[in-house]
Amino acid sequence: MSSVSVTAGRVRTSRSRQSVREWLTFVAFVAPNLALLAIFSYWPLVQNVALSFTEWDMISPVKRFVGLDNWVSVLTSNRFWQIA
């Protein structure tokens, strides 16, 4: 059983304090790892998907939005289906 203390009209359990402290410790160790995973894995994935809807030569600063044209050309290509 957890111990109960009464302080200034409030009832606090040491068990809940301990679980909050454990949760904060867990977050302190896991959050930096999740942030790095998101930055170096998921952000480039999102950027590549966004880039697949544009036409860009990687030199000019202007990216032209082409919508699904890139995807249609890949999925209707015979070469793609031979490789897949």
Side-chain angles (χ1 to χ4, degrees), residues 39 41-54 56 63:
I39 290 169
S41 294
Y42 298 126
W43 183 249
L45 180 67
V46 169
Q47 288 295 320
N48 282 323
V49 169
L51 195 59
S52 73
F53 295 107
T54 63
W56 184 41
K63 299 174 189 169

Side-chain angles (χ1 to χ4, degrees), residues 20-66:
V20 168
R21 189 176 298 130
E22 288 175 356
W23 174 250
L24 290 175
T25 303
F26 170 76
V27 169
F29 280 108
V30 172
N33 294 316
L34 290 178
L36 290 173
L37 182 68
I39 290 169
F40 292 108
S41 294
Y42 298 126
W43 183 249
L45 180 67
V46 169
Q47 288 295 320
N48 282 323
V49 169
L51 195 59
S52 73
F53 295 107
T54 63
E55 182 179 319
W56 184 41
D57 63 2
M58 293 189 194
I59 296 173
S60 68
V62 178
K63 299 174 189 169
R64 189 172 70 90
F65 181 75
V66 293

